[in-house]
Amino acid sequence: MSGANVGDKSDVNSVQCLIGCRLLRATNQKRAVLFISMKFKSVVFQDSLFERCYFEDVTSLNTYFRNCTFIHSHFVNTDLEKYKFTDSELLNCTFHDPKVGCQITFDDDYSAYWIYFVNFLGTLAVLPGNIVSALLMDKIGRLTMLGGSMVLSGISCFFLWFGTSESMMVGMLCVYNGLTISAWNSLDVVTVELYPTDKRKKQLALHYE
């Protein structure tokens, strides 16, 4: 199929892709716009028109089409599923051989440094929770701390819906870990104290096996 080839085996950001698509449509009214072997990462198309476009071997990560219109476009071997087309209209469009399974590749999408760094921050956030639970365990009681920590950690999970960036999500992860550790500490103490004093050491060892 002849036409304008947008790119081969390349990563595309939102600004480049949006501008490129509009320019290609303006200069190639009678030819198809080709998206072949492309990878979209964190791209949001909004209020865009895709006319006579051909998508083949396209992989997308956190990519959405919002209020877009597709006319006489074809999708072959892509992972562009219906939920990625929000309030969009598809006219005379076809989908063939869609990709199945998770398309995330950690080599390209997430570096090892970033994965370990986020884990480190989540583990570091446990330290304040350990200090607070150690200081307040006897003052407010085991069950009070257990219930309060579970309620607060549940509330922190609710705010995950409002996360709009990676930094906000990592911050909420740290808050959740810091709140949850108090519940785990309270649960450990309550479990051990169920047994007589002379058997608590053995029970604690069995509890962590």
Side-chain angles (χ1 to χ4, degrees), residues 25-38:
R25 183 182 175 276
T27 58
N28 297 278
Q29 293 289 340
K30 296 182 179 181
R31 295 192 298 169
V33 180
L34 306 184
F35 296 83
I36 299 178
S37 298
M38 298 188 67

Side-chain angles (χ1 to χ4, degrees), residues 1-184:
M1 186 174 185
S2 62
N5 197 337
V6 176
D8 293 326
K9 297 182 180 179
S10 58
D11 294 342
V12 182
N13 60 42
S14 56
V15 176
Q16 290 175 338
C17 198
L18 188 57
I19 295 177
C21 184
R22 289 179 175 174
L23 289 177
L24 283 170
R25 183 182 175 276
T27 58
N28 297 278
Q29 293 289 340
K30 296 182 179 181
R31 295 192 298 169
V33 180
L34 306 184
F35 296 83
I36 299 178
S37 298
M38 298 188 67
K39 181 176 182 179
F40 298 107
K41 182 178 180 181
S42 299
V43 181
V44 177
F45 296 93
Q46 184 141 5
D47 302 324
S48 301
L49 173 63
F50 295 83
E51 186 173 4
R52 296 176 55 82
C53 294
Y54 183 81
F55 297 80
E56 182 177 355
D57 192 22
V58 173
T59 302
S60 61
L61 176 65
N62 194 28
T63 297
Y64 301 95
F65 299 86
R66 297 174 181 171
N67 196 30
C68 296
T69 302
F70 293 81
I71 303 176
H72 296 293
S73 298
H74 304 279
F75 301 83
V76 179
N77 191 30
T78 70
D79 64 349
L80 299 175
E81 300 183 17
K82 298 296 184 181
Y83 74 90
K84 296 186 177 182
F85 299 91
T86 306
D87 298 326
S88 297
E89 188 176 8
L90 288 82
L91 304 176
N92 296 324
C93 298
T94 59
F95 292 81
H96 299 285
D97 302 323
K99 294 179 182 290
V100 296
C102 180
Q103 303 300 321
I104 294 178
T105 57
F106 285 91
D107 291 338
D108 298 330
D109 303 324
Y110 297 99
S111 65
Y113 170 80
W114 177 247
I115 295 174
Y116 283 108
F117 181 68
V118 171
N119 270 308
F120 171 75
L121 292 179
T123 304
L124 188 64
V126 170
L127 181 60
N130 281 327
I131 296 175
V132 171
S133 61
L135 295 176
L136 300 180
M137 184 77 69
D138 292 328
K139 293 183 179 180
I140 66 176
R142 285 82 163 123
L143 296 180
T144 302
M145 177 166 288
L146 175 62
S149 177
M150 294 300 291
V151 170
L152 292 177
S153 60
I155 294 175
S156 68
C157 288
F158 171 76
F159 286 99
L160 289 173
W161 291 97
F162 302 97
T164 56
S165 65
E166 291 181 347
S167 59
M168 290 182 63
M169 299 302 291
V170 173
M172 292 308 302
L173 168 66
C174 294
V175 172
Y176 174 80
N177 285 351
L179 293 173
T180 306
I181 193 61
S182 298
W184 284 110

